[in-house]
Amino acid sequence: MSRVVIVTGGTRGIGAAISTAFAKAGYKVAATYHGNDQAAAEFTAQTGVQHFKFDVSDFAACEQGVANIVAKLGPVDILVNNAGITRDAFLHKMTAAQWHEVIGTNLNSVFNMSRQVIEGMRTREFGRIVNISSINGQTGQVGQANYSAAKAAIIGFTKALALESASKGVLVNAIAPGYIDTDMVRAVPPDVLEKIIAKIPVKHLGHADDIARMALFLASDDNKFATGATFTVNGAQYLT
Ligand code: CAA
């Protein structure tokens, strides 16, 4: 049996590593994206993973997008809520647009997408949801009141949904990556990034595959007991 997986933001960065890991392990993968058509086309050409374009911050778009995926690949067994953006600014300079964009894409998306798949998972008595949080949701971060709020809220969402779903074979977990070598982290001003790396005990950025391997286990049939938890993968930068 080949299980069906949706990875939001699945054509770039951590999401691309997650989509690729699932595809290599024999899953049927749908990678969603919103903005970068060229990156999505290149990703599909390189990996063979199908991409689906819709805005995960928009509930109606998610309804339509997930229906398209189900029509092509079948009912969804696994959802990885990975899509995320940054709009970093000190709060005294942050615009309402910067706040709402981050909350929409990073947090509302988790509701919008999980809501599409949860009923089917409960009915079939199998499901795995993996939510990508962040070290910055656990610790806070300068310039990220919006991002830290969204990523912290994901941890609460994960706990609540895990409790609701535990008796139905649906396991829900979060991963809190540290600083991973992606375009998002490389967009941090170089002098600031240098300061951040100096504080990581392993002394280097993580790799997207470090997160993909964790997601693959949490979503697998082998995971029968881990649920409601947040798994940190951060080179010991923050110990929970
Ligand atoms: N850690 C430590 N110090 C920081 C910092 C950080 N993350 N961000 C900013 N600072 C410091 C700067 O070094 C600077 O210090 P000095 O005055 O001593 O030089 C001070 O705060 C002011 O910073 P700027 O001069 O850069 O001020 P600005 O208004 O031009 O920009 C900012 C502010 C938008 C917050 C910018 O500094 C920035 O982008 N910082 C990085 C924020 C960050 O870490 N984002 C994480 C993105 S990666 C991610 O989110 C993925 C994940 O999940 C881990």
Coordinates of all heavy atoms in Angstrom, one line a residue, residues 2-7 27-32 48-52 65-78:
S2 N 0.6 2.2 -0.9 CA 1.4 3.4 -1.0 C 0.6 4.5 -0.4 O -0.5 4.9 -1.0 CB 1.7 3.6 -2.5 OG 2.4 4.8 -2.6
R3 N 1.0 5.1 0.7 CA 0.2 6.1 1.3 C 0.4 7.4 0.6 O 1.4 7.7 0.0 CB 0.6 6.2 2.8 CG 0.3 5.0 3.6 CD 0.2 5.3 5.1 NE -0.1 4.2 5.9 CZ -1.4 3.7 6.1 NH1 -2.4 4.2 5.5 NH2 -1.5 2.6 6.9
V4 N -0.7 8.3 0.8 CA -0.7 9.6 0.1 C -0.3 10.7 1.1 O -0.8 10.7 2.2 CB -2.1 9.9 -0.5 CG1 -2.2 11.3 -1.0 CG2 -2.4 8.9 -1.6
V5 N 0.6 11.5 0.7 CA 1.2 12.6 1.6 C 1.0 13.9 0.9 O 1.3 14.1 -0.3 CB 2.7 12.4 1.8 CG1 3.2 13.4 2.8 CG2 3.1 11.0 2.1
I6 N 0.6 14.9 1.6 CA 0.6 16.3 1.2 C 1.7 17.0 2.0 O 1.7 17.0 3.2 CB -0.7 17.1 1.4 CG1 -1.8 16.4 0.5 CG2 -0.5 18.5 1.0 CD1 -3.2 17.1 0.7
V7 N 2.6 17.7 1.3 CA 3.6 18.6 2.0 C 3.3 20.0 1.5 O 3.5 20.3 0.3 CB 5.0 18.2 1.6 CG1 6.0 19.0 2.4 CG2 5.3 16.7 1.9
Y27 N 6.2 6.7 -1.0 CA 4.9 7.4 -0.8 C 4.5 8.1 -2.1 O 5.3 8.5 -2.9 CB 5.0 8.4 0.3 CG 5.2 7.8 1.7 CD1 6.4 7.4 2.2 CD2 4.1 7.7 2.6 CE1 6.6 6.9 3.4 CE2 4.3 7.2 3.9 CZ 5.6 6.8 4.3 OH 5.8 6.3 5.6
K28 N 3.1 8.3 -2.2 CA 2.6 9.2 -3.3 C 2.6 10.6 -2.7 O 1.8 10.8 -1.7 CB 1.2 8.7 -3.7 CG 1.2 7.4 -4.5 CD -0.1 7.2 -5.2 CE -0.9 6.2 -4.4 NZ -2.3 6.0 -5.0
V29 N 3.3 11.5 -3.3 CA 3.5 12.8 -2.7 C 2.9 13.9 -3.5 O 3.1 14.0 -4.8 CB 5.0 13.1 -2.5 CG1 5.2 14.5 -1.8 CG2 5.7 12.0 -1.7
A30 N 2.2 14.8 -2.9 CA 1.7 16.1 -3.5 C 2.4 17.2 -2.8 O 2.3 17.4 -1.6 CB 0.2 16.2 -3.3
A31 N 3.2 18.0 -3.5 CA 3.9 19.1 -2.9 C 3.2 20.4 -3.3 O 3.0 20.7 -4.5 CB 5.4 19.2 -3.5
T32 N 2.7 21.2 -2.3 CA 2.0 22.4 -2.7 C 2.9 23.6 -2.6 O 4.0 23.5 -1.9 CB 0.8 22.7 -1.7 OG1 1.3 23.3 -0.5 CG2 0.0 21.4 -1.4
G48 N 10.3 14.2 -9.9 CA 9.1 13.5 -10.3 C 7.9 13.7 -9.4 O 6.9 13.2 -9.6
V49 N 8.1 14.5 -8.3 CA 7.0 14.8 -7.3 C 6.1 15.8 -8.0 O 6.5 16.9 -8.4 CB 7.6 15.3 -6.0 CG1 6.5 15.7 -5.1 CG2 8.4 14.2 -5.3
Q50 N 4.8 15.5 -8.0 CA 3.8 16.4 -8.5 C 3.6 17.7 -7.7 O 3.6 17.6 -6.4 CB 2.4 15.8 -8.7 CG 2.4 14.7 -9.7 CD 1.0 14.1 -9.8 OE1 0.0 14.9 -10.2 NE2 0.8 12.9 -9.5
H51 N 3.5 18.9 -8.3 CA 3.2 20.1 -7.5 C 1.8 20.6 -7.8 O 1.3 20.4 -8.9 CB 4.3 21.2 -7.8 CG 4.4 21.6 -9.2 ND1 5.4 21.2 -10.1 CD2 3.5 22.3 -10.0 CE1 5.2 21.7 -11.3 NE2 4.1 22.4 -11.2
F52 N 1.3 21.2 -6.8 CA -0.1 21.8 -6.8 C 0.0 23.2 -6.3 O 0.5 23.4 -5.2 CB -1.0 20.9 -6.0 CG -1.2 19.5 -6.5 CD1 -0.3 18.5 -6.2 CD2 -2.3 19.2 -7.3 CE1 -0.4 17.2 -6.6 CE2 -2.5 17.9 -7.7 CZ -1.5 16.9 -7.4
G65 N -7.9 22.9 -3.5 CA -6.6 22.3 -3.8 C -6.6 20.8 -3.3 O -6.0 20.0 -4.0
V66 N -7.1 20.6 -2.1 CA -7.0 19.2 -1.6 C -8.0 18.3 -2.4 O -7.6 17.2 -2.6 CB -7.4 19.2 0.0 CG1 -7.5 17.8 0.5 CG2 -6.3 20.0 0.7
A67 N -9.1 18.8 -2.8 CA -10.0 18.0 -3.7 C -9.3 17.6 -5.0 O -9.4 16.5 -5.4 CB -11.3 18.8 -4.0
N68 N -8.5 18.5 -5.5 CA -7.7 18.2 -6.8 C -6.7 17.1 -6.5 O -6.5 16.2 -7.3 CB -6.9 19.4 -7.3 CG -7.8 20.4 -7.9 OD1 -9.0 20.1 -8.2 ND2 -7.3 21.6 -8.1
I69 N -6.0 17.2 -5.3 CA -5.0 16.2 -5.0 C -5.7 14.8 -4.8 O -5.2 13.8 -5.2 CB -4.2 16.7 -3.7 CG1 -3.4 17.9 -4.0 CG2 -3.4 15.5 -3.1 CD1 -2.8 18.6 -2.8
V70 N -6.8 14.8 -4.0 CA -7.5 13.6 -3.8 C -7.9 12.9 -5.1 O -7.8 11.7 -5.3 CB -8.7 13.8 -2.8 CG1 -9.5 12.5 -2.7 CG2 -8.2 14.2 -1.4
A71 N -8.4 13.8 -6.0 CA -8.9 13.2 -7.3 C -7.7 12.6 -8.1 O -7.8 11.6 -8.8 CB -9.5 14.3 -8.2
K72 N -6.5 13.1 -7.9 CA -5.3 12.6 -8.7 C -4.6 11.5 -7.9 O -4.2 10.5 -8.5 CB -4.3 13.7 -8.9 CG -4.7 14.7 -9.9 CD -3.6 15.3 -10.7 CE -4.0 16.2 -11.8 NZ -4.0 17.6 -11.6
L73 N -4.5 11.6 -6.6 CA -3.7 10.6 -5.8 C -4.4 9.7 -4.9 O -3.9 8.7 -4.5 CB -2.6 11.4 -5.0 CG -1.6 12.3 -5.8 CD1 -0.6 12.8 -4.8 CD2 -0.9 11.5 -6.9
G74 N -5.7 10.1 -4.5 CA -6.4 9.3 -3.6 C -6.5 10.0 -2.2 O -5.9 11.1 -2.0
P75 N -7.3 9.4 -1.3 CA -7.4 10.0 0.1 C -6.1 10.2 0.8 O -5.2 9.5 0.6 CB -8.3 8.9 0.8 CG -8.9 8.1 -0.2 CD -8.0 8.1 -1.4
V76 N -6.1 11.3 1.6 CA -4.8 11.7 2.2 C -4.6 11.0 3.5 O -5.4 11.1 4.4 CB -4.9 13.3 2.4 CG1 -3.6 13.8 3.0 CG2 -5.1 14.0 1.1
D77 N -3.5 10.4 3.6 CA -3.1 9.7 4.9 C -2.2 10.5 5.8 O -2.2 10.4 7.0 CB -2.3 8.4 4.5 CG -3.1 7.4 3.6 OD1 -4.1 7.0 4.1 OD2 -2.6 7.2 2.5
I78 N -1.4 11.4 5.1 CA -0.4 12.1 5.9 C -0.4 13.6 5.4 O -0.4 13.8 4.2 CB 1.0 11.5 5.6 CG1 1.0 10.1 6.2 CG2 2.1 12.4 6.3 CD1 2.2 9.2 5.6

